[in-house]
Amino acid sequence: MTILDKIVKDKHEEVALRKNLIPVTQLEQSVLFERKTVSLANSLRQSESGIIAEHKRRSPSKSVINQSLNVQDVAKGYEDAGVCGMSVLTDGKYFGGSLDDLLLARASCNLPLLRKEFIIDEYQLLEAKAYGADVILLIAAILTREEIKQFSEFAKSLNLDVLLEVHNEEELHKSVMPSLDMLGVNNRNLKTFDVSLETSKTLSELIPNDFVKVSESGISNIEAIKELKPFGYQGFLIGENFMKTDNAGESAKQFIKSLL
């Protein structure tokens, strides 16, 4: 079993449990459920930096990244820094996140918020909406084409933007459909955890221009962004680089300043 298989197996159990605890009607009655969402795709199209900054405490590949920064400070700091959007990890077991992190981020900033999660059920999209997200992530490696279609269309009915993540050409071919807003290329090989920007470069020409192209993982310096922009990338997801410092917002601010 790969780490991804383990995460997905645990996620099925976790979602089943959550469904029993909080019914859909309760999610739909949330104050934030009626909130007008903000499009991350539009934000990226109009941005010079294209930075999506992440709140991430730990990960299976890096163990602890930063347990001491609180979400409110990080969200405010990112907004002050001028990022395009914020990604909030809500997986507890492997990444140390929670839906409460999303709620706190929403209360602290007006940025488009991405719920970074392993989505395997429509219920998680209702949760995302109820807890203040604007964007959801779908991971092609763990979903069939039918599931990608079902979840992305459901997300659009909730006015949520959809970022679909691929790792290789095969995943990309099964995934391209009109109900997506952004196509993200993850530069990390999920089997070996090796990172290479070549993945983004190779797949860039296969992504239709209707979608905003986002590069994820392994972007730790402005050189990487300058290298990827000619390939049509408008979004750059950066997590560990800012989170491993004492002040994620200040780190993002300096990064964007040197980029522009």
Side-chain angles (χ1 to χ4, degrees), residues 26 28-29 34 42 44 56 60 62 64 92 101 104 109 135 148 151-152 157 159 165 197 211 216 219 236 251-252:
Q26 195 174 325
E28 290 173 340
Q29 283 159 9
E34 298 306 318
N42 289 345
L44 290 173
K56 173 157 69 169
K62 286 280 167 72
V64 173
D101 288 339
L104 289 167
C109 72
V135 195
I148 293 167
F151 297 157
S152 57
S157 76
N159 291 318
E165 174 180 300
L197 295 183
F211 305 105
E216 310 169 20
I219 300 165
F236 307 92
S251 170

Side-chain angles (χ1 to χ4, degrees), residues 7-251:
I7 291 172
V8 171
K9 181 178 176 291
D10 288 339
K11 194 56 63 181
H12 277 282
E13 291 170 12
E14 181 196 314
V15 173
L17 195 64
R18 294 180 79 91
K19 277 177 157 178
N20 282 332
L21 289 171
I22 303 174
V24 166
T25 48
Q26 195 174 325
L27 292 174
E28 290 173 340
Q29 283 159 9
S30 143
V31 176
L32 290 169
F33 205 83
E34 298 306 318
R35 178 184 151 267
K36 192 177 186 309
T37 51
V38 187
S39 169
L40 176 61
N42 289 345
S43 175
L44 290 173
R45 281 191 187 98
Q46 293 156 15
S47 163
E48 284 183 58
S49 78
I51 304 295
I52 305 161
E54 192 154 82
H55 179 269
K56 173 157 69 169
R57 292 188 181 88
R58 55 187 166 88
S59 75
S61 62
K62 286 280 167 72
S63 61
V64 173
I65 298 161
N66 196 327
Q67 300 277 31
S68 62
L69 298 180
N70 76 58
V71 184
Q72 299 96 309
D73 290 345
V74 173
K76 285 182 189 133
Y78 282 160
E79 188 166 40
D80 291 345
V83 306
C84 281
M86 178 175 173
S87 164
V88 182
L89 270 137
T90 59
D91 174 78
K93 184 169 182 180
Y94 295 91
F95 291 87
S98 73
L99 276 164
D100 285 345
D101 288 339
L102 191 57
L103 213 49
L104 289 167
R106 178 76 291 147
S108 311
C109 72
N110 293 310
L111 292 167
L113 294 183
L114 164 71
R115 180 184 187 190
K116 186 93 173 281
E117 182 54 271
F118 299 85
I119 287 178
I120 44 92
D121 194 296
E122 279 188 3
Y123 180 82
Q124 291 163 290
L125 305 185
L126 293 167
E127 282 183 326
K129 179 83 171 166
Y131 281 81
D134 301 280
V135 195
I136 55 116
L137 174 77
L138 297 178
I139 301 171
I142 63 173
L143 300 169
T144 62
R145 181 173 173 82
E146 289 66 37
E147 287 170 327
I148 293 167
K149 186 173 190 294
Q150 177 195 341
F151 297 157
S152 57
E153 287 177 356
F154 187 56
K156 298 314 292 174
S157 76
L158 296 170
N159 291 318
L160 295 167
D161 265 12
V162 181
L163 167 63
L164 184 112
E165 174 180 300
V166 299
H167 298 83
N168 55 43
E169 195 173 328
E170 185 191 349
E171 289 175 9
L172 179 61
H173 287 315
K174 82 168 180 186
S175 308
V176 174
M177 56 187 74
S179 44
L180 309 175
D181 301 284
M182 295 160 281
L183 267 160
V185 177
N186 193 332
N187 299 306
R188 178 172 282 121
N189 181 314
L190 289 180
K191 295 187 174 72
T192 62
F193 282 114
D194 292 340
V195 173
S196 168
L197 295 183
E198 292 307 311
T199 312
S200 279
K201 293 178 186 176
T202 310
L203 294 182
S204 67
E205 53 208 50
L206 303 173
I207 300 173
N209 290 331
D210 322 1
F211 305 105
V212 175
K213 297 179 194 178
V214 178
S215 186
E216 310 169 20
S217 292
I219 300 165
S220 55
N221 53 45
I222 59 169
E223 283 67 35
I225 291 178
K226 288 179 173 167
E227 217 179 296
L228 290 168
K229 278 199 166 177
F231 290 86
Y233 285 93
Q234 291 173 289
F236 307 92
L237 183 70
I238 301 178
E240 286 160 28
N241 201 46
F242 303 145
M243 283 300 292
K244 66 188 179 191
T245 66
D246 293 334
N247 187 330
E250 187 55 36
S251 170

